[in-house]
Amino acid sequence: MGSETVVARAAGLKVIGLTGADGGGLALVSDVAVKVPEVETYMVQELHLPIYHCWCLMLEDQFFGA
């Protein structure tokens, strides 16, 4: 388990992993693993873009209103 995961769990936080198709080690230590259906790094990164942009919009709406 990575040090970031240990710190997050010690703080009582959940760990969300954003990974490629196989999930790798991150999927094993995450509470939730969001896997995109690609294995090539550049394609995985491209598919992550709309996911974290969506998450940012959702968080901004939650914390700062529409």
Side-chain angles (χ1 to χ4, degrees):
M1 193 175 324
S3 61
E4 296 86 356
T5 304
V6 171
V7 171
R9 292 189 194 267
L13 301 173
K14 298 291 183 185
V15 176
I16 301 172
L18 190 55
T19 73
D22 66 359
L26 180 58
L28 298 174
V29 298
S30 300
D31 294 296
V32 175
V34 178
K35 301 176 185 179
V36 297
E38 282 293 340
V39 294
E40 293 288 333
T41 301
Y42 78 98
M43 287 300 298
V44 171
Q45 292 170 343
E46 287 297 315
L47 291 174
H48 285 174
L49 283 169
I51 295 170
Y52 60 72
H53 282 287
C54 180
W55 287 349
C56 287
L57 287 171
M58 293 167 62
L59 289 168
E60 287 175 7
D61 187 45
Q62 178 67 34
F63 289 113
F64 305 111

Short mmCIF file of all heavy atoms in Angstrom, two decimals:
data_model
loop_
_atom_site.label_atom_id
_atom_site.label_comp_id
_atom_site.label_asym_id
_atom_site.label_seq_id
_atom_site.Cartn_x
_atom_site.Cartn_y
_atom_site.Cartn_z
N MET A 1 0.86 -1.18 0.00
CA MET A 1 0.00 0.00 0.00
C MET A 1 0.90 1.23 0.00
O MET A 1 1.85 1.31 0.77
CB MET A 1 -0.91 -0.05 1.23
CG MET A 1 -2.04 0.93 1.19
SD MET A 1 -3.25 0.84 2.55
CE MET A 1 -3.41 -0.86 2.94
N GLY A 2 0.58 2.20 -0.85
CA GLY A 2 1.37 3.42 -0.94
C GLY A 2 1.19 4.30 0.28
O GLY A 2 0.19 4.20 1.01
N SER A 3 2.15 5.17 0.52
CA SER A 3 2.10 6.04 1.70
C SER A 3 0.88 6.96 1.66
O SER A 3 0.30 7.26 2.70
CB SER A 3 3.38 6.85 1.82
OG SER A 3 3.56 7.69 0.69
N GLU A 4 0.48 7.40 0.45
CA GLU A 4 -0.70 8.26 0.35
C GLU A 4 -1.95 7.53 0.82
O GLU A 4 -2.81 8.10 1.49
CB GLU A 4 -0.92 8.75 -1.09
CG GLU A 4 0.19 9.63 -1.62
CD GLU A 4 1.35 8.85 -2.24
OE1 GLU A 4 1.34 7.59 -2.19
OE2 GLU A 4 2.26 9.49 -2.75
N THR A 5 -2.06 6.25 0.46
CA THR A 5 -3.21 5.46 0.87
C THR A 5 -3.22 5.27 2.38
O THR A 5 -4.26 5.36 3.02
CB THR A 5 -3.19 4.09 0.17
OG1 THR A 5 -3.16 4.31 -1.24
CG2 THR A 5 -4.43 3.28 0.49
N VAL A 6 -2.06 5.02 2.96
CA VAL A 6 -1.96 4.85 4.42
C VAL A 6 -2.39 6.12 5.12
O VAL A 6 -3.16 6.08 6.09
CB VAL A 6 -0.52 4.45 4.81
CG1 VAL A 6 -0.35 4.48 6.31
CG2 VAL A 6 -0.16 3.09 4.25
N VAL A 7 -1.92 7.27 4.64
CA VAL A 7 -2.27 8.55 5.24
C VAL A 7 -3.77 8.81 5.11
O VAL A 7 -4.43 9.23 6.06
CB VAL A 7 -1.45 9.71 4.62
CG1 VAL A 7 -1.97 11.06 5.07
CG2 VAL A 7 0.02 9.55 4.95
N ALA A 8 -4.33 8.54 3.92
CA ALA A 8 -5.76 8.76 3.70
C ALA A 8 -6.59 7.91 4.65
O ALA A 8 -7.52 8.39 5.29
CB ALA A 8 -6.13 8.44 2.26
N ARG A 9 -6.24 6.66 4.78
CA ARG A 9 -7.00 5.77 5.67
C ARG A 9 -6.85 6.18 7.13
O ARG A 9 -7.81 6.11 7.90
CB ARG A 9 -6.59 4.33 5.44
CG ARG A 9 -7.02 3.85 4.06
CD ARG A 9 -6.80 2.36 3.92
NE ARG A 9 -6.90 1.99 2.52
CZ ARG A 9 -8.03 1.58 1.95
NH1 ARG A 9 -9.12 1.47 2.64
NH2 ARG A 9 -8.03 1.25 0.66
N ALA A 10 -5.65 6.61 7.52
CA ALA A 10 -5.42 7.06 8.90
C ALA A 10 -6.28 8.29 9.22
O ALA A 10 -6.70 8.48 10.36
CB ALA A 10 -3.95 7.36 9.12
N ALA A 11 -6.54 9.10 8.19
CA ALA A 11 -7.38 10.28 8.36
C ALA A 11 -8.86 9.96 8.22
O ALA A 11 -9.70 10.85 8.28
CB ALA A 11 -6.98 11.35 7.34
N GLY A 12 -9.19 8.69 8.01
CA GLY A 12 -10.59 8.29 7.88
C GLY A 12 -11.18 8.58 6.51
O GLY A 12 -12.41 8.64 6.38
N LEU A 13 -10.34 8.76 5.51
CA LEU A 13 -10.81 9.07 4.16
C LEU A 13 -10.95 7.80 3.33
O LEU A 13 -10.30 6.80 3.59
CB LEU A 13 -9.83 10.01 3.46
CG LEU A 13 -9.58 11.34 4.15
CD1 LEU A 13 -8.46 12.09 3.44
CD2 LEU A 13 -10.85 12.17 4.19
N LYS A 14 -11.79 7.87 2.33
CA LYS A 14 -11.92 6.79 1.35
C LYS A 14 -10.95 7.06 0.21
O LYS A 14 -10.64 8.20 -0.10
CB LYS A 14 -13.34 6.70 0.80
CG LYS A 14 -14.39 6.39 1.85
CD LYS A 14 -14.23 4.98 2.35
CE LYS A 14 -15.34 4.65 3.35
NZ LYS A 14 -15.16 3.35 3.93
N VAL A 15 -10.48 6.00 -0.42
CA VAL A 15 -9.54 6.12 -1.53
C VAL A 15 -10.25 5.73 -2.81
O VAL A 15 -10.81 4.63 -2.92
CB VAL A 15 -8.31 5.21 -1.30
CG1 VAL A 15 -7.37 5.25 -2.49
CG2 VAL A 15 -7.59 5.61 -0.02
N ILE A 16 -10.23 6.64 -3.78
CA ILE A 16 -10.80 6.39 -5.10
C ILE A 16 -9.63 6.30 -6.08
O ILE A 16 -8.84 7.23 -6.19
CB ILE A 16 -11.76 7.50 -5.55
CG1 ILE A 16 -12.91 7.64 -4.55
CG2 ILE A 16 -12.28 7.22 -6.95
CD1 ILE A 16 -13.81 8.83 -4.81
N GLY A 17 -9.52 5.17 -6.76
CA GLY A 17 -8.46 4.98 -7.73
C GLY A 17 -8.98 5.14 -9.14
O GLY A 17 -10.04 4.61 -9.48
N LEU A 18 -8.27 5.88 -9.95
CA LEU A 18 -8.63 6.08 -11.35
C LEU A 18 -7.55 5.37 -12.16
O LEU A 18 -6.39 5.80 -12.16
CB LEU A 18 -8.67 7.58 -11.65
CG LEU A 18 -9.24 8.05 -12.96
CD1 LEU A 18 -10.65 7.52 -13.20
CD2 LEU A 18 -9.25 9.57 -13.00
N THR A 19 -7.91 4.27 -12.82
CA THR A 19 -6.92 3.38 -13.41
C THR A 19 -7.26 3.02 -14.85
O THR A 19 -8.31 3.39 -15.37
CB THR A 19 -6.82 2.06 -12.62
OG1 THR A 19 -7.97 1.27 -12.87
CG2 THR A 19 -6.67 2.30 -11.13
N GLY A 20 -6.37 2.24 -15.44
CA GLY A 20 -6.62 1.64 -16.74
C GLY A 20 -7.41 0.35 -16.57
O GLY A 20 -7.84 0.00 -15.47
N ALA A 21 -7.56 -0.38 -17.65
CA ALA A 21 -8.43 -1.56 -17.67
C ALA A 21 -8.10 -2.63 -16.64
O ALA A 21 -8.99 -3.22 -16.05
CB ALA A 21 -8.44 -2.18 -19.07
N ASP A 22 -6.81 -2.89 -16.42
CA ASP A 22 -6.46 -3.96 -15.47
C ASP A 22 -6.48 -3.50 -14.03
O ASP A 22 -6.46 -4.33 -13.11
CB ASP A 22 -5.12 -4.60 -15.83
CG ASP A 22 -3.94 -3.66 -15.66
OD1 ASP A 22 -4.14 -2.50 -15.28
OD2 ASP A 22 -2.80 -4.11 -15.92
N GLY A 23 -6.50 -2.22 -13.78
CA GLY A 23 -6.58 -1.70 -12.43
C GLY A 23 -5.25 -1.60 -11.72
O GLY A 23 -5.03 -0.70 -10.93
N GLY A 24 -4.36 -2.55 -11.97
CA GLY A 24 -3.05 -2.53 -11.33
C GLY A 24 -3.13 -2.58 -9.82
O GLY A 24 -4.16 -2.91 -9.24
N GLY A 25 -2.04 -2.21 -9.19
CA GLY A 25 -1.97 -2.23 -7.74
C GLY A 25 -2.89 -1.22 -7.07
O GLY A 25 -3.39 -1.44 -5.98
N LEU A 26 -3.14 -0.09 -7.77
CA LEU A 26 -4.01 0.93 -7.20
C LEU A 26 -5.42 0.41 -6.97
O LEU A 26 -6.04 0.71 -5.95
CB LEU A 26 -4.04 2.18 -8.10
CG LEU A 26 -4.90 3.33 -7.63
CD1 LEU A 26 -4.47 3.82 -6.24
CD2 LEU A 26 -4.85 4.47 -8.63
N ALA A 27 -5.93 -0.38 -7.89
CA ALA A 27 -7.28 -0.92 -7.74
C ALA A 27 -7.37 -1.82 -6.51
O ALA A 27 -8.42 -1.88 -5.85
CB ALA A 27 -7.68 -1.69 -8.98
N LEU A 28 -6.28 -2.48 -6.18
CA LEU A 28 -6.27 -3.40 -5.04
C LEU A 28 -6.33 -2.67 -3.71
O LEU A 28 -6.86 -3.20 -2.73
CB LEU A 28 -5.03 -4.29 -5.08
CG LEU A 28 -4.91 -5.21 -6.29
CD1 LEU A 28 -3.56 -5.94 -6.27
CD2 LEU A 28 -6.06 -6.20 -6.34
N VAL A 29 -5.79 -1.46 -3.64
CA VAL A 29 -5.76 -0.73 -2.37
C VAL A 29 -6.82 0.37 -2.30
O VAL A 29 -6.90 1.07 -1.30
CB VAL A 29 -4.36 -0.13 -2.10
CG1 VAL A 29 -3.33 -1.24 -1.99
CG2 VAL A 29 -3.96 0.87 -3.15
N SER A 30 -7.62 0.53 -3.34
CA SER A 30 -8.65 1.56 -3.36
C SER A 30 -9.96 1.03 -2.81
O SER A 30 -10.28 -0.15 -2.93
CB SER A 30 -8.89 2.03 -4.80
OG SER A 30 -7.73 2.57 -5.35
N ASP A 31 -10.73 1.92 -2.20
CA ASP A 31 -12.08 1.56 -1.78
C ASP A 31 -12.98 1.43 -3.00
O ASP A 31 -13.85 0.58 -3.05
CB ASP A 31 -12.64 2.61 -0.82
CG ASP A 31 -11.87 2.63 0.49
OD1 ASP A 31 -11.89 1.61 1.21
OD2 ASP A 31 -11.22 3.65 0.78
N VAL A 32 -12.75 2.30 -3.97
CA VAL A 32 -13.48 2.28 -5.24
C VAL A 32 -12.45 2.46 -6.35
O VAL A 32 -11.63 3.37 -6.27
CB VAL A 32 -14.52 3.43 -5.32
CG1 VAL A 32 -15.18 3.47 -6.68
CG2 VAL A 32 -15.55 3.30 -4.22
N ALA A 33 -12.50 1.61 -7.34
CA ALA A 33 -11.61 1.74 -8.49
C ALA A 33 -12.44 2.05 -9.73
O ALA A 33 -13.34 1.29 -10.08
CB ALA A 33 -10.81 0.46 -8.71
N VAL A 34 -12.14 3.17 -10.35
CA VAL A 34 -12.80 3.55 -11.60
C VAL A 34 -11.83 3.19 -12.71
O VAL A 34 -10.78 3.81 -12.86
CB VAL A 34 -13.14 5.06 -11.63
CG1 VAL A 34 -13.79 5.44 -12.95
CG2 VAL A 34 -14.04 5.43 -10.46
N LYS A 35 -12.18 2.16 -13.46
CA LYS A 35 -11.29 1.64 -14.51
C LYS A 35 -11.81 2.04 -15.88
O LYS A 35 -12.98 1.85 -16.18
CB LYS A 35 -11.23 0.11 -14.43
CG LYS A 35 -10.73 -0.42 -13.11
CD LYS A 35 -10.79 -1.94 -13.07
CE LYS A 35 -10.42 -2.46 -11.72
NZ LYS A 35 -10.51 -3.93 -11.67
N VAL A 36 -10.91 2.60 -16.68
CA VAL A 36 -11.28 2.92 -18.06
C VAL A 36 -10.86 1.76 -18.96
O VAL A 36 -9.89 1.06 -18.66
CB VAL A 36 -10.66 4.25 -18.54
CG1 VAL A 36 -11.19 5.42 -17.70
CG2 VAL A 36 -9.15 4.22 -18.51
N PRO A 37 -11.58 1.53 -20.05
CA PRO A 37 -11.34 0.33 -20.88
C PRO A 37 -10.18 0.46 -21.88
O PRO A 37 -10.34 0.25 -23.08
CB PRO A 37 -12.67 0.15 -21.61
CG PRO A 37 -13.18 1.55 -21.77
CD PRO A 37 -12.75 2.26 -20.50
N GLU A 38 -9.02 0.83 -21.38
CA GLU A 38 -7.82 0.95 -22.21
C GLU A 38 -6.61 0.49 -21.42
O GLU A 38 -6.64 0.50 -20.19
CB GLU A 38 -7.59 2.39 -22.68
CG GLU A 38 -8.46 2.82 -23.83
CD GLU A 38 -8.17 2.11 -25.13
OE1 GLU A 38 -7.08 1.53 -25.30
OE2 GLU A 38 -9.06 2.12 -26.00
N VAL A 39 -5.55 0.10 -22.13
CA VAL A 39 -4.32 -0.31 -21.46
C VAL A 39 -3.13 0.57 -21.85
O VAL A 39 -2.15 0.63 -21.11
CB VAL A 39 -3.98 -1.80 -21.74
CG1 VAL A 39 -5.02 -2.71 -21.11
CG2 VAL A 39 -3.86 -2.07 -23.22
N GLU A 40 -3.20 1.23 -23.00
CA GLU A 40 -2.13 2.13 -23.42
C GLU A 40 -2.19 3.40 -22.57
O GLU A 40 -3.25 4.03 -22.46
CB GLU A 40 -2.28 2.49 -24.90
CG GLU A 40 -2.07 1.34 -25.85
CD GLU A 40 -0.62 0.91 -25.93
OE1 GLU A 40 0.28 1.75 -25.70
OE2 GLU A 40 -0.40 -0.28 -26.23
N THR A 41 -1.05 3.78 -22.01
CA THR A 41 -1.01 4.92 -21.08
C THR A 41 -1.64 6.17 -21.66
O THR A 41 -2.47 6.82 -21.00
CB THR A 41 0.44 5.21 -20.65
OG1 THR A 41 0.97 4.04 -20.02
CG2 THR A 41 0.50 6.37 -19.67
N TYR A 42 -1.29 6.54 -22.88
CA TYR A 42 -1.83 7.77 -23.45
C TYR A 42 -3.34 7.72 -23.60
O TYR A 42 -4.04 8.72 -23.42
CB TYR A 42 -1.14 8.13 -24.77
CG TYR A 42 -1.60 7.34 -25.97
CD1 TYR A 42 -2.54 7.88 -26.84
CD2 TYR A 42 -1.12 6.06 -26.23
CE1 TYR A 42 -2.98 7.17 -27.95
CE2 TYR A 42 -1.55 5.34 -27.33
CZ TYR A 42 -2.48 5.90 -28.19
OH TYR A 42 -2.92 5.19 -29.28
N MET A 43 -3.89 6.53 -23.91
CA MET A 43 -5.35 6.40 -24.04
C MET A 43 -6.03 6.41 -22.67
O MET A 43 -7.11 6.98 -22.51
CB MET A 43 -5.70 5.12 -24.80
CG MET A 43 -5.41 5.20 -26.28
SD MET A 43 -6.33 6.53 -27.10
CE MET A 43 -8.02 6.03 -26.84
N VAL A 44 -5.41 5.77 -21.70
CA VAL A 44 -5.94 5.80 -20.33
C VAL A 44 -6.03 7.25 -19.86
O VAL A 44 -7.06 7.68 -19.33
CB VAL A 44 -5.06 4.96 -19.38
CG1 VAL A 44 -5.46 5.17 -17.93
CG2 VAL A 44 -5.11 3.48 -19.73
N GLN A 45 -4.97 8.01 -20.08
CA GLN A 45 -4.96 9.41 -19.67
C GLN A 45 -6.03 10.22 -20.39
O GLN A 45 -6.68 11.07 -19.78
CB GLN A 45 -3.58 10.02 -19.93
CG GLN A 45 -2.51 9.45 -19.02
CD GLN A 45 -1.11 9.86 -19.41
OE1 GLN A 45 -0.87 10.31 -20.53
NE2 GLN A 45 -0.18 9.69 -18.50
N GLU A 46 -6.25 9.96 -21.66
CA GLU A 46 -7.29 10.67 -22.41
C GLU A 46 -8.68 10.36 -21.86
O GLU A 46 -9.53 11.24 -21.78
CB GLU A 46 -7.23 10.31 -23.90
CG GLU A 46 -6.07 10.93 -24.63
CD GLU A 46 -6.14 12.45 -24.65
OE1 GLU A 46 -7.22 13.01 -24.90
OE2 GLU A 46 -5.09 13.08 -24.41
N LEU A 47 -8.90 9.11 -21.48
CA LEU A 47 -10.21 8.74 -20.93
C LEU A 47 -10.39 9.23 -19.50
O LEU A 47 -11.53 9.40 -19.04
CB LEU A 47 -10.39 7.22 -21.00
CG LEU A 47 -10.54 6.67 -22.42
CD1 LEU A 47 -10.58 5.15 -22.40
CD2 LEU A 47 -11.77 7.23 -23.11
N HIS A 48 -9.31 9.48 -18.79
CA HIS A 48 -9.41 10.04 -17.44
C HIS A 48 -9.86 11.50 -17.48
O HIS A 48 -10.55 11.96 -16.56
CB HIS A 48 -8.07 9.95 -16.71
CG HIS A 48 -7.73 8.58 -16.23
ND1 HIS A 48 -6.52 8.28 -15.67
CD2 HIS A 48 -8.43 7.42 -16.23
CE1 HIS A 48 -6.49 7.01 -15.33
NE2 HIS A 48 -7.65 6.46 -15.68
N LEU A 49 -9.49 12.22 -18.52
CA LEU A 49 -9.82 13.65 -18.61
C LEU A 49 -11.30 13.95 -18.38
O LEU A 49 -11.63 14.74 -17.50
CB LEU A 49 -9.38 14.22 -19.96
CG LEU A 49 -7.89 14.50 -20.11
CD1 LEU A 49 -7.57 14.80 -21.57
CD2 LEU A 49 -7.47 15.65 -19.23
N PRO A 50 -12.22 13.35 -19.14
CA PRO A 50 -13.63 13.71 -18.91
C PRO A 50 -14.13 13.26 -17.54
O PRO A 50 -15.02 13.90 -16.97
CB PRO A 50 -14.38 12.98 -20.02
CG PRO A 50 -13.45 11.96 -20.55
CD PRO A 50 -12.06 12.45 -20.27
N ILE A 51 -13.54 12.21 -16.98
CA ILE A 51 -13.96 11.75 -15.65
C ILE A 51 -13.61 12.78 -14.60
O ILE A 51 -14.46 13.20 -13.81
CB ILE A 51 -13.34 10.38 -15.31
CG1 ILE A 51 -13.87 9.31 -16.25
CG2 ILE A 51 -13.61 10.01 -13.86
CD1 ILE A 51 -13.14 7.98 -16.17
N TYR A 52 -12.36 13.22 -14.55
CA TYR A 52 -12.05 14.17 -13.48
C TYR A 52 -12.58 15.56 -13.75
O TYR A 52 -12.85 16.31 -12.81
CB TYR A 52 -10.60 14.13 -13.02
CG TYR A 52 -9.50 14.41 -13.97
CD1 TYR A 52 -9.26 15.69 -14.45
CD2 TYR A 52 -8.66 13.39 -14.37
CE1 TYR A 52 -8.21 15.93 -15.30
CE2 TYR A 52 -7.60 13.63 -15.23
CZ TYR A 52 -7.38 14.91 -15.69
OH TYR A 52 -6.34 15.16 -16.53
N HIS A 53 -12.83 15.91 -14.99
CA HIS A 53 -13.52 17.18 -15.25
C HIS A 53 -14.95 17.12 -14.72
O HIS A 53 -15.43 18.08 -14.12
CB HIS A 53 -13.51 17.52 -16.75
CG HIS A 53 -12.22 18.07 -17.22
ND1 HIS A 53 -11.78 19.34 -16.93
CD2 HIS A 53 -11.24 17.51 -17.97
CE1 HIS A 53 -10.60 19.54 -17.48
NE2 HIS A 53 -10.24 18.44 -18.12
N CYS A 54 -15.60 16.01 -14.92
CA CYS A 54 -16.96 15.82 -14.40
C CYS A 54 -16.96 15.87 -12.88
O CYS A 54 -17.81 16.52 -12.26
CB CYS A 54 -17.52 14.50 -14.90
SG CYS A 54 -19.18 14.15 -14.33
N TRP A 55 -16.00 15.19 -12.25
CA TRP A 55 -15.90 15.21 -10.79
C TRP A 55 -15.69 16.63 -10.27
O TRP A 55 -16.30 17.03 -9.28
CB TRP A 55 -14.77 14.31 -10.30
CG TRP A 55 -15.04 12.84 -10.42
CD1 TRP A 55 -16.23 12.23 -10.71
CD2 TRP A 55 -14.10 11.79 -10.25
NE1 TRP A 55 -16.07 10.89 -10.73
CE2 TRP A 55 -14.78 10.58 -10.45
CE3 TRP A 55 -12.74 11.76 -9.96
CZ2 TRP A 55 -14.15 9.35 -10.35
CZ3 TRP A 55 -12.12 10.53 -9.86
CH2 TRP A 55 -12.81 9.33 -10.05
N CYS A 56 -14.83 17.39 -10.95
CA CYS A 56 -14.59 18.77 -10.53
C CYS A 56 -15.87 19.60 -10.61
O CYS A 56 -16.18 20.36 -9.69
CB CYS A 56 -13.50 19.40 -11.39
SG CYS A 56 -11.85 18.79 -11.02
N LEU A 57 -16.61 19.45 -11.69
CA LEU A 57 -17.88 20.18 -11.83
C LEU A 57 -18.86 19.80 -10.73
O LEU A 57 -19.52 20.65 -10.14
CB LEU A 57 -18.51 19.91 -13.20
CG LEU A 57 -17.83 20.57 -14.39
CD1 LEU A 57 -18.42 20.03 -15.70
CD2 LEU A 57 -17.98 22.08 -14.32
N MET A 58 -18.93 18.51 -10.44
CA MET A 58 -19.84 18.03 -9.40
C MET A 58 -19.43 18.57 -8.03
O MET A 58 -20.29 19.00 -7.23
CB MET A 58 -19.88 16.51 -9.38
CG MET A 58 -20.52 15.90 -10.62
SD MET A 58 -20.23 14.13 -10.78
CE MET A 58 -21.01 13.49 -9.33
N LEU A 59 -18.14 18.58 -7.74
CA LEU A 59 -17.66 19.10 -6.44
C LEU A 59 -17.88 20.60 -6.33
O LEU A 59 -18.29 21.10 -5.27
CB LEU A 59 -16.18 18.75 -6.26
CG LEU A 59 -15.90 17.29 -5.99
CD1 LEU A 59 -14.41 17.00 -6.12
CD2 LEU A 59 -16.41 16.88 -4.62
N GLU A 60 -17.61 21.34 -7.41
CA GLU A 60 -17.86 22.78 -7.39
C GLU A 60 -19.33 23.08 -7.13
O GLU A 60 -19.67 23.96 -6.35
CB GLU A 60 -17.42 23.41 -8.71
CG GLU A 60 -15.92 23.50 -8.87
CD GLU A 60 -15.51 24.00 -10.24
OE1 GLU A 60 -16.38 24.41 -11.04
OE2 GLU A 60 -14.30 23.95 -10.52
N ASP A 61 -20.20 22.33 -7.78
CA ASP A 61 -21.63 22.51 -7.57
C ASP A 61 -22.02 22.19 -6.14
O ASP A 61 -22.79 22.91 -5.51
CB ASP A 61 -22.41 21.65 -8.56
CG ASP A 61 -23.89 21.93 -8.52
OD1 ASP A 61 -24.27 23.13 -8.50
OD2 ASP A 61 -24.67 20.97 -8.50
N GLN A 62 -21.47 21.11 -5.60
CA GLN A 62 -21.79 20.70 -4.23
C GLN A 62 -21.33 21.74 -3.21
O GLN A 62 -22.05 22.08 -2.28
CB GLN A 62 -21.14 19.34 -3.93
CG GLN A 62 -21.37 18.83 -2.53
CD GLN A 62 -22.81 18.47 -2.25
OE1 GLN A 62 -23.53 18.01 -3.13
NE2 GLN A 62 -23.26 18.71 -1.04
N PHE A 63 -20.12 22.25 -3.38
CA PHE A 63 -19.55 23.15 -2.38
C PHE A 63 -19.88 24.62 -2.60
O PHE A 63 -19.93 25.40 -1.65
CB PHE A 63 -18.02 22.99 -2.32
CG PHE A 63 -17.61 21.68 -1.70
CD1 PHE A 63 -16.98 20.71 -2.46
CD2 PHE A 63 -17.85 21.41 -0.35
CE1 PHE A 63 -16.60 19.49 -1.91
CE2 PHE A 63 -17.48 20.21 0.21
CZ PHE A 63 -16.86 19.25 -0.56
N PHE A 64 -20.09 25.02 -3.85
CA PHE A 64 -20.28 26.45 -4.13
C PHE A 64 -21.61 26.76 -4.79
O PHE A 64 -21.86 27.92 -5.14
CB PHE A 64 -19.12 26.96 -5.01
CG PHE A 64 -17.77 26.68 -4.42
CD1 PHE A 64 -16.92 25.76 -5.00
CD2 PHE A 64 -17.36 27.32 -3.25
CE1 PHE A 64 -15.68 25.49 -4.45
CE2 PHE A 64 -16.13 27.06 -2.70
CZ PHE A 64 -15.27 26.15 -3.29
N GLY A 65 -22.46 25.76 -5.01
CA GLY A 65 -23.76 25.99 -5.61
C GLY A 65 -23.70 26.15 -7.13
O GLY A 65 -22.64 26.33 -7.70
N ALA A 66 -24.85 26.03 -7.71
CA ALA A 66 -24.94 26.11 -9.19
C ALA A 66 -24.89 27.54 -9.65
O ALA A 66 -25.26 28.45 -9.01
CB ALA A 66 -26.23 25.45 -9.66
#
